Amino acid sequence: MANIDRFERQVQSAWVAGIVSKQKRSRKEPPAKKYFDAEKARKEVLSGTSNTKPIELDFTNYNQMREELKTFNWQPVEKKS
């Protein structure tokens, strides 16, 4: 249930930020609900059935960024006035 709430907040945040809202909007339901239906997920958890696929996360870009940042030269920049 905690993961469902977290996913719902993430989708709503993305929608508010404009990532999802640029898509064609449906008149029947809020755009965020097209991407993740929290009510349906909660019902599946409570009933014990699950028709959802497990989420596979890809951290390739994240890991590459972390490695690159280890060698980055962090020189302070003086503010020009």
Side-chain angles (χ1 to χ4, degrees), residues 25-55:
R25 293 185 180 182
S26 171
R27 300 286 179 194
K28 297 178 184 175
E29 58 190 8
K33 195 169 186 175
K34 291 192 307 185
Y35 297 94
F36 181 71
D37 189 356
E39 287 301 316
K40 179 181 174 186
R42 286 185 189 102
K43 287 179 186 175
E44 286 179 0
V45 168
L46 293 176
S47 68
T49 61
S50 178
N51 297 328
T52 57
K53 295 185 276 184
I55 296 174

Side-chain angles (χ1 to χ4, degrees), residues 9-35:
R9 285 191 303 272
Q10 288 174 344
V11 170
Q12 288 172 349
S13 304
W15 179 67
V16 169
I19 295 170
V20 177
S21 65
K22 292 179 184 177
Q23 307 268 334
K24 184 177 177 182
R25 293 185 180 182
S26 171
R27 300 286 179 194
K28 297 178 184 175
E29 58 190 8
K33 195 169 186 175
K34 291 192 307 185
Y35 297 94

